[in-house]
Amino acid sequence: MDNVIDQSGILAISTRLQRLADALRKEGQLIYQSFGIEFEPKWFPVVYTLHLKTSMSVVEIANEIGYAHPSTISLLKELEKQQIIKSKKDKTDERKRLIVLTPKGKALVSAMQPVWNNMQKALSQIADNKNNLMDAIIEAEEKLKVSGFLERSQKIRLSGDVR
Amino acid sequence: MDNVIDQSGILAISTRLQRLADALRKEGQLIYQSFGIEFEPKWFPVVYTLHLKTSMSVVEIANEIGYAHPSTISLLKELEKQQIIKSKKDKTDERKRLIVLTPKGKALVSAMQPVWNNMQKALSQIADNKNNLMDAIIEAEEKLKVSGFLERSQKIRLSGDVR
DNA sequence: TTAATTTATGTAGGAAACTACGTAGTTTTG
DNA sequence: CAAAACTACGTAGTTTCCTACATAAATTAA
């Protein structure tokens, strides 16, 4: 609480969230480097998803990781260039591209297991406090699913709350 | 917990943080609009800071809001174009620009008080759960200040934890 | 079975932050 | 007090996501 933004409290929450996301992503990058692994934090959602689900279309991946599909496409381009994934046309639906991990991709996933394990421990240290950050995120997202920020604002306004 | 990324848990925490930040910022924009006020969520840190501190240099603002100074400069450019702030050279230090709210900026801050009040209530609804999101952020940031993500990762690695 | 709609993918460009680097004042130091 | 170091500001370009729009294949409906 040593600066104005901290004091402004919850109003700057999206700023705070983004700052934290940024910090963790950047340090995550350094951790992969420190393990001598060529991998970028932003690739994690796609690669982890393909590791579990084997073969998916572009839009399926996008939905799974909660990204817009153009963002997913550009990640897939990078991963294809790195030969971590490859894709082939779906025989039964010519529109679809089925994405799979390459052998190199699978080897990478294996090699990253200890890194992910390590990161998980470090992140748990950071996020598990009186209030657990991951749980707080999940809870907030659930609230938002029930009724969004705008909707809540309007309900509060209509309830005669003009102070 | 209905998709792979949710299940991957804490490893995707920076993704989750960013997604939430994005969602709140976008809805925040809609709330300002619904109140008929021309204001962007990203301006909040600068404007709120100037509201409290009256007159500050570019770098002082950047430090206060926790942004890199070039980010601050581009926000200040927008705010100057909107005539919400203005700046003048510091007489005693020719390098510095002192930034202040214009009368229009001050009027805007007044007009936004009920909006900020409303948002604060809506955000509290969203963020206050079994785990309070804002407190969780603060606690995690404090942990990071003591020892960063990378540093913790390395300590965990050195402590013979090779599982 | 053609026309309308929906779905899957792709491209282009935008938003909100960042880093790297350069210039010009200010302060410190030898 | 001149040289070196530091500080303030600015520009350029990058990163990681996004939205808007286009096209083509598949499905649904008339």
Side-chain angles (χ1 to χ4, degrees):
Chain A
M1 281 298 186
D2 54 349
N3 64 37
V4 170
I5 289 311
D6 289 346
Q7 288 160 37
S8 76
I10 204 160
L11 279 175
I13 195 168
S14 95
T15 290
R16 302 288 293 275
L17 286 167
Q18 186 147 354
R19 207 151 91 192
L20 195 49
D22 244 59
L24 292 176
R25 194 175 24 71
K26 272 172 200 157
E27 288 208 74
Q29 204 155 15
L30 297 178
I31 294 175
Y32 284 119
Q33 278 173 28
S34 82
F35 273 86
I37 285 179
E38 268 183 65
F39 194 77
E40 309 227 4
K42 68 175 161 179
W43 295 341
F44 176 79
V46 170
V47 171
Y48 188 80
T49 296
L50 286 172
H51 166 55
L52 292 190
K53 296 276 189 105
T54 313
S55 164
M56 302 176 80
S57 76
V58 174
V59 170
E60 279 167 4
I61 294 172
N63 290 337
E64 199 68 29
I65 68 178
Y67 280 15
H69 81 270
S71 313
T72 306
I73 288 173
S74 82
L75 289 175
L76 290 173
K77 267 187 192 154
E78 288 181 40
L79 288 167
E80 197 146 26
K81 194 186 260 171
Q82 299 289 324
Q83 298 180 294
I84 291 169
I85 61 137
K86 66 185 175 214
S87 65
K88 56 175 194 289
K89 272 237 160 66
D90 185 329
K91 293 268 162 59
T92 69
D93 187 338
E94 283 286 310
R95 295 168 307 176
K96 284 189 187 168
R97 257 171 75 198
L98 292 179
I99 318 290
V100 292
L101 289 176
T102 60
K104 181 184 165 188
K106 285 176 191 165
L108 190 61
V109 168
S110 292
M112 281 190 297
Q113 294 300 330
V115 186
W116 287 348
N117 237 288
N118 171 287
M119 282 181 164
Q120 208 153 46
K121 282 174 194 149
L123 285 172
S124 297
Q125 284 183 8
I126 292 162
D128 196 24
N129 298 294
K130 232 181 303 162
N131 298 273
N132 182 289
L133 180 58
M134 197 62 207
D135 292 342
I137 293 169
I138 290 166
E139 288 161 5
E141 279 180 347
E142 262 155 26
K143 283 265 182 87
L144 282 176
K145 224 185 311 180
V146 173
S147 169
F149 183 19
L150 174 62
E151 198 181 322
R152 285 171 193 273
S153 155
Q154 290 175 334
K155 234 174 253 167
I156 289 164
R157 186 137 61 125
L158 287 174
S159 74
D161 212 338
V162 206
R163 260 160 300 165
Chain B
M1 281 301 190
D2 55 347
N3 63 37
V4 170
I5 290 312
D6 290 345
Q7 287 161 38
S8 76
I10 204 162
L11 279 175
I13 196 168
S14 95
T15 290
R16 303 288 295 274
L17 287 166
Q18 186 149 351
R19 209 151 90 190
L20 194 50
D22 245 59
L24 292 176
R25 193 176 24 72
K26 273 172 199 157
E27 287 209 74
Q29 204 156 14
L30 297 178
I31 294 176
Y32 284 119
Q33 278 172 28
S34 82
F35 274 87
I37 284 179
E38 268 183 65
F39 194 78
E40 309 225 5
K42 69 176 159 177
W43 295 340
F44 175 79
V46 170
V47 170
Y48 188 81
T49 296
L50 286 172
H51 167 54
L52 292 190
K53 296 277 187 104
T54 313
S55 164
M56 301 177 80
S57 76
V58 174
V59 169
E60 277 166 4
I61 294 173
N63 290 338
E64 198 69 27
I65 69 179
Y67 280 15
H69 83 269
S71 314
T72 306
I73 287 172
S74 83
L75 290 175
L76 290 173
K77 267 188 193 154
E78 287 181 41
L79 288 167
E80 197 146 27
K81 196 187 257 172
Q82 300 288 325
Q83 297 181 293
I84 291 169
I85 61 137
K86 67 186 175 210
S87 65
K88 55 176 196 289
K89 272 240 159 66
D90 185 329
K91 293 270 162 54
T92 67
D93 187 337
E94 284 286 310
R95 294 168 307 176
K96 285 188 187 170
R97 256 172 76 198
L98 292 179
I99 318 290
V100 291
L101 289 177
T102 59
K104 181 184 165 188
K106 285 177 192 165
L108 190 62
V109 168
S110 293
M112 281 190 297
Q113 294 300 329
V115 186
W116 287 349
N117 237 286
N118 172 287
M119 283 181 163
Q120 208 153 44
K121 282 172 194 152
L123 285 172
S124 297
Q125 283 183 10
I126 293 162
D128 196 24
N129 298 296
K130 230 178 307 160
N131 299 272
N132 182 288
L133 180 57
M134 197 63 209
D135 293 342
I137 293 169
I138 291 167
E139 288 161 6
E141 280 180 346
E142 261 155 29
K143 281 266 182 85
L144 281 177
K145 222 185 311 181
V146 173
S147 168
F149 183 20
L150 173 62
E151 197 180 325
R152 284 171 194 274
S153 154
Q154 290 176 332
K155 235 175 253 167
I156 289 164
R157 187 137 59 124
L158 287 175
S159 73
D161 212 337
V162 206
R163 262 162 300 166

